[in-house]
């Protein structure tokens, strides 16, 4: 299964409301991403791989949830061809402000 938009996109937005943008993503090799302006939550629906972010390499598989802060370099590596991911962008540009 692949989602191909007019410019070759491999994701599709399925819900937008306020600052929330929910996408269904089917990553392809190689994954090239630029840091995003909002915080992101990844929910792995199918497949498995490694999410590289913030200097970490986190293995992930179906059922896992991961957080990537706004502005963080990130991408998937060593992932299976059946990787399917819900991506939820939310909050203000620059990310949520968290008090310590």
């Amino acid at each position: 299964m692949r989602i191909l938009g007019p410019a070759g996109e491999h994701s599709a937005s399925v819900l937008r409301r306020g600052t929330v943008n929910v996408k269904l993503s089917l990553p392809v090799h190689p994954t090239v991403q630029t840091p995003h302006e909002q915080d992101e939550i990844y929910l792995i629906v199918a497949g498995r791989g490694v999410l590289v972010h913030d200097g970490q390499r986190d293995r992930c598989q179906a059922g896992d949830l991961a957080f990537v802060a706004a502005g963080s370099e990130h991408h998937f590596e060593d992932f299976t061809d059946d990787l399917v991911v819900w991506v939820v962008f939310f909050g203000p540009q620059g990310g949520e402000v968290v008090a310590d």
Side-chain angles (χ1 to χ4, degrees), residues 38-45 49-54 56-70 72 74-76 83-90:
Q38 290 179 286
D39 290 331
E40 298 173 70
I41 293 174
Y42 286 93
L43 177 59
I44 310 303
V45 177
V50 176
L51 176 61
V52 179
H53 65 101
D54 301 316
Q56 301 177 65
R57 292 178 48 84
D58 294 329
R59 293 193 178 281
C60 55
Q61 63 185 15
D64 288 346
L65 183 131
F67 172 80
V68 176
S72 297
H74 63 288
H75 63 274
F76 285 98
L83 183 62
V84 178
V85 182
W86 282 111
V87 184
V88 180
F89 295 93
F90 67 95

